């Protein structure tokens, strides 16, 4: 990256963020090639091995063009937390910068971005018995039932967490039941004011009708590319249907198609609607990130460079 673009003495970190289907990955790939950079994914779905089509994971050819980090890190049955991501991302960034190369963060998982750039609040230790009880309740009652329980105890947190996100629901319940204080209150006290990495961050904006059409087109393309077959292969090799990886939007519906519980047409529509809702939540999250600047989708890398804000200054 030219020094006039970076405006920084050390190898810069640029973040390309935004809702699903906004074109982040393609733009990051083009920018990485232009700037001789490497990409660190900030995507809680792309870390799972074997989940390629439904996570819009960079292809083998794209990964050969530019080094990508933190893709295919864990099995679909493994839960990966924001703290684990932060540790792995810190190490990846350090190694890239040791090579004196720029870093591009790319993804739409706002919680992981915040954990990496601004840190994580430290909750008190959780009693193992309480943790196991919540995990058991999630398995037997389902995440939506526990989301309703969370809404009673911490409505602010529940409003920000999707009913189909068992990991974050469980974590929020652990904290409020262990401490008597809502996790939203503890997070507000933390404030996420630290700056762990100076980052120049943009979020890619499309008018909503256009973004909805992009989501519709991509959903259909994923199904045509074999999304159901990919999901069936995961089930056939023993991945349980309630595994964290198969709770990702779309995979839940493809599981039901693979098991004969749902038609493909219904799965496509439900996935489209759920993805739209998810995109709205992503946009709301990045609206709250004070150092992220929303920009109309850049047509060139030069446009992207011109729109990057100064590092760590509220915009």
């Amino acid at each position: 990256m030219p020094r006039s673009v970076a405006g920084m003495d050390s190898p810069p970190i640029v973040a390309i963020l935004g809702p699903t289907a906004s074109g982040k990955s393609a733009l990051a790939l083009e920018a990485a090639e232009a700037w001789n950079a490497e990409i660190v994914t900030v995507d809680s779905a792309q870390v799972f091995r074997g989940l390629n089509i439904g996570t819009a994971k960079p292809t083998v050819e794209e990964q050969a063009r530019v080094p990508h980090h933190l893709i295919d890190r864990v099995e679909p049955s493994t839960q990966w937390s924001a703290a684990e991501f932060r540790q792995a991302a810190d190490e990846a960034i350090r190694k890239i910068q040791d090579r004196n190369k720029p870093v591009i963060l790319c993804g739409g998982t706002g919680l992981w971005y915040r954990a990496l750039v601004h840190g994580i609040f430290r909750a008190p230790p959780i009693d193992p018995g309480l943790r196991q009880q919540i995990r058991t309740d999630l398995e037997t009652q389902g995440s939506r039932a526990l989301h309703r329980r969370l809404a009673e105890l911490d409505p602010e947190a529940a409003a920000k967490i999707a009913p189909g996100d068992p990991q974050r629901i469980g974590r929020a319940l652990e904290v409020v039941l262990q401490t008597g204080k809502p996790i939203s209150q503890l997070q507000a006290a933390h404030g996420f004011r630290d700056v762990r990495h100076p980052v120049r961050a943009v979020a890619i904006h499309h008018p909503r009708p256009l973004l909805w059409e992009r989501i519709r087109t991509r959903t259909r393309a994923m199904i045509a590319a074999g999304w159901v077959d990919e999901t069936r292969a995961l089930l056939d090799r023993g991945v349980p249907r309630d595994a964290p990886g198969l709770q990702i939007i779309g995979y839940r519906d493809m599981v039901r198609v693979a098991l004969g519980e749902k038609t493909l047409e219904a799965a496509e529509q439900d996935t489209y609607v759920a993805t739209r809702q998810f995109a709205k939540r992503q946009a709301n999250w990045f609206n709250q990130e004070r150092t992220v600047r929303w920009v109309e989708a850049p047509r060139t890398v030069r446009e992207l460079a011109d729109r990057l804000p100064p590092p760590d200054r509220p915009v």
Side-chain angles (χ1 to χ4, degrees):
M1 175 182 280
R3 192 57 57 95
S4 61
V5 173
M8 299 165 65
D9 293 331
S10 61
I13 298 178
V14 168
I16 302 176
L17 311 168
T20 188
S22 58
K24 303 180 297 294
S25 296
L27 182 60
L29 185 69
E30 183 181 352
E33 289 186 311
W35 299 335
N36 190 30
E38 300 186 21
I39 296 172
V40 176
T41 186
V42 188
D43 188 311
S44 60
Q46 293 184 357
V47 300
F48 291 114
R49 300 186 190 104
L51 278 68
N52 301 324
I53 296 173
T55 64
K57 192 177 294 180
T59 65
V60 173
E61 293 75 17
E62 289 169 336
Q63 293 185 53
R65 288 165 54 188
V66 170
H68 287 66
H69 301 266
L70 307 191
I71 288 176
D72 294 333
R73 286 295 295 253
V74 298
E75 292 298 322
S77 300
T78 302
Q79 197 77 265
W80 222 39
S81 68
E84 290 169 312
F85 161 76
R86 184 185 68 168
Q87 181 178 0
D90 281 343
E91 179 67 11
I93 290 170
R94 182 188 65 77
K95 290 181 178 179
I96 296 168
Q97 292 184 330
D98 283 348
R99 294 191 286 273
N100 200 36
K101 296 180 68 176
V103 177
I104 296 178
L105 305 177
C106 179
T109 304
L111 175 64
W112 284 18
Y113 172 79
R114 181 179 290 175
L116 176 62
V117 176
H118 299 295
I120 302 174
F121 85 95
R122 298 296 179 183
I126 305 299
D127 178 76
L130 172 62
R131 172 163 289 163
Q132 183 56 50
Q133 182 59 56
I134 291 174
R135 295 297 174 267
T136 300
D137 290 347
L138 281 167
E139 292 174 6
T140 58
Q141 300 176 34
S143 63
R144 294 182 182 277
L146 266 68
H147 188 268
R148 290 192 290 271
R149 187 192 307 178
L150 178 63
E152 297 174 357
L153 298 171
D154 187 352
E156 183 176 344
K160 297 178 180 178
I161 300 175
D165 189 341
Q167 180 178 359
R168 294 181 64 200
I169 293 167
R171 179 59 172 161
L173 281 172
E174 286 177 356
V175 170
V176 70
L177 292 174
Q178 178 75 48
T179 67
K181 295 181 180 179
I183 193 171
S184 58
Q185 180 180 329
L186 296 174
Q187 290 171 335
H190 178 277
F192 302 99
R193 287 176 286 270
D194 295 339
V195 177
R196 302 181 68 253
H197 295 284
V199 174
R200 309 183 70 173
V202 294
I204 307 303
H205 173 264
H206 293 280
R208 279 195 171 178
L210 176 57
L211 183 60
W212 297 166
E213 184 56 33
R214 291 172 65 93
I215 290 171
R216 172 74 78 185
T217 299
R218 193 174 73 166
T219 301
R220 289 173 174 167
M222 287 174 169
I223 291 173
W227 198 354
V228 176
D229 290 338
E230 178 181 84
T231 304
R232 185 179 291 112
L234 292 166
L235 295 170
D236 288 346
R237 70 179 175 89
V239 177
R241 67 182 298 171
D242 61 351
L246 294 184
Q247 299 309 300
I248 295 169
I249 289 173
Y251 279 97
R252 295 192 297 264
D253 292 297
M254 299 308 139
V255 164
R256 296 189 63 190
V257 174
L259 296 177
E261 300 172 359
K262 194 170 194 173
T263 68
L264 185 57
E265 292 76 12
E268 178 186 318
Q269 178 62 20
D270 290 348
T271 296
Y272 165 68
V273 171
T275 306
R276 278 182 48 162
Q277 294 170 342
F278 176 55
K280 290 178 183 178
R281 292 194 299 272
Q282 289 176 297
N284 289 337
W285 184 286
F286 289 121
N287 280 336
Q288 299 173 40
E289 293 292 339
R290 67 186 187 278
T291 57
V292 173
R293 170 182 288 164
W294 283 94
V295 299
E296 296 297 325
R299 292 167 295 181
T300 66
V301 173
R302 182 72 258 176
E303 282 188 14
L304 170 65
D306 289 342
R307 297 177 187 182
L308 292 172
D312 312 311
R313 189 177 74 188
V315 293

